[in-house]
Amino acid sequence: MIYRHAIGVQTHVFADLRDLLAKATPPRSGDRLAGVAAETAEQMIAARMALADVPLQQFLQEAVIPYEDDEVTRLIIDSHDAAAFAAVSSLTVGGFRDWLLSDAATPEVLQNLARGITPEMAAAVSKLMRNQDLILVAKKCEVITRFRNTIGLRGRMSVRLQPNHPFDDARGITASILDGLMLGSGDACIGINPASDDPAVLGGLVRLLDDVITRLQIPTQSCVLAHVTTTLDLMNQGCPVDLVFQSIAGTEAANLSFGIDLAILQEAYEAGLSLKRGTLGSNVMYFETGQGSALSANAHHGVDQQTCEARAYAVARDFAPLLVNSVVGFIGPEYLYDGKEIIRAGLEDHFCGKLLGLPLGVDVCYTNHAEADQDDMDNLLTLLAAAGVSFIMGVPGADDVMLNYQSTSFHDALYVRDLFGLKRAPEFDDWLRHVGLAGADFRIKGNDGLLPELASRLIA
């Protein structure tokens, strides 16, 4: 279908819904690289005005990637909940924005609506929103998941303790874990990005994390971020796997570039469930995404990178994950050029993920060759905390020495907790207080005297 909108004497024409969505997107380097971005600010505004008049029903009739060509499209269409969609089915994209910002869109209503919204609808409405709109609506979306603790409760923010090491050294990893625990991080999970892909090394890391959690009796979960097929092999060997990890994207071709498809994810999901290692719940999957992944694999089908990212959330949603993490600035300036683009993308991802019913966290990060700095990350972290982000990363010193990028530190998490009065997962907070790391008010006490005791319990 062709879309048009006139500004003055000039009529702007958009070839189809895919083109309209791309042209309506706020400026970013990835869409310019792909050749799908608006050529002028006027064209971008014309696209947004045309998009505002598109009925939400149109997204069920016109796929941005054909149904017969892409299994992610088939998943989106085949799993759409028409009954849930009925509440907003008469609205246009612009009307949907107004409704989301109204008092009618309560947390309970948004929770019931989630399965009725397609990723393209979420992406479309986000393109009409200011940053404050993205924050306000996301704040109303509450998504709760459980494994050994409870993540996503209102007034709480979790942290993935990320103790990466360039040589997967057990002592270095353990030291980073203790550093994070002493500063109250680790309730989302303790998750290692391994430097090696050797199954023997990876199995050792899985057992190391299990040993730390067991010895210290921490109500949290572990994850070694290996390829899903490797994790399947480890589970078959009897390794104590808690969370099953995989990077995912929003097109079938992009997922194939990662060496996965929906069938492999289903097999891994069922294997994770079969271990029954969760004590409070059975959300066993951990997914990571990022704007630009489909473009970097030349698998974007001419779809803008933010819409592709939202489509990845449909993949995640099908497997009831404990955690979904947008690693927003990790791919580099070719996709998100500077701090302004990273901040906007982080807020978009968080909004779309929460609207679609996902436990969305954000790795507030940038690469060292991006036009961004830690002040930009402070801004995004603060905005996301205001928006009710489910979790962030906790990296020693905010500098990941294995992945070579800049993220958020354990101290950054303390900052936003103090600023907004945010607690951790309740079970983890209780543990911190029980072992003497937090006081009766759940604030970290800075009790360095406990370090030898915790270390001795691990070494024993």
Side-chain angles (χ1 to χ4, degrees), residues 228-242:
V228 66
T229 55
T230 303
T231 304
L232 270 168
D233 289 341
L234 293 175
M235 287 191 284
N236 289 334
Q237 294 168 24
C239 280
V241 172
D242 286 346

Side-chain angles (χ1 to χ4, degrees), residues 378-398:
D378 285 348
N379 293 343
L380 178 54
L381 174 61
T382 305
L383 295 172
L384 286 167
V389 70
S390 292
F391 67 99
I392 61 169
M393 301 298 108
V395 177

Side-chain angles (χ1 to χ4, degrees), residues 251-414:
T251 73
E252 178 180 354
N255 283 325
L256 288 174
S257 77
F258 290 152
I260 62 165
D261 57 19
L262 297 180
I264 291 174
L265 294 179
Q266 183 66 35
E267 181 183 354
Y269 175 54
E270 292 173 359
L273 288 174
S274 72
L275 298 182
K276 299 181 179 178
R277 292 178 57 81
T279 55
L280 294 184
S282 57
N283 299 116
V284 299
M285 303 298 285
Y286 176 18
F287 294 115
E288 287 194 343
T289 68
Q291 286 195 30
S293 57
L295 174 58
S296 68
N298 194 27
H300 58 99
H301 298 270
V303 178
D304 70 89
Q305 66 181 38
Q306 191 252 334
T307 300
C308 281
E309 170 74 3
R311 285 168 55 92
Y313 302 154
V315 175
R317 185 169 63 177
D318 206 44
F319 301 100
L322 181 77
L323 308 167
V324 180
N325 178 30
S326 168
V327 193
V328 67
F330 182 73
I331 305 182
E334 300 84 359
Y335 306 95
L336 295 169
Y337 177 70
D338 58 13
K340 182 178 178 66
E341 292 188 5
I342 293 171
I343 289 169
R344 174 68 191 191
L347 295 176
E348 289 169 347
D349 294 351
H350 181 248
F351 163 83
C352 288
K354 284 291 186 65
L355 188 63
L356 292 166
L358 287 177
L360 216 293
V362 178
D363 189 344
V364 179
C365 64
Y366 64 102
T367 58
N368 289 312
H369 61 310
E371 291 294 322
D373 59 26
Q374 210 63 41
D375 285 338
D376 295 313
M377 299 306 104
D378 285 348
N379 293 343
L380 178 54
L381 174 61
T382 305
L383 295 172
L384 286 167
V389 70
S390 292
F391 67 99
I392 61 169
M393 301 298 108
V395 177
D399 184 358
D400 193 299
V401 295
M402 195 282 283
L403 292 174
N404 292 310
Y405 79 118
Q406 307 303 311
S407 185
T408 45
S409 70
F410 308 133
H411 294 86
D412 292 331
L414 292 178

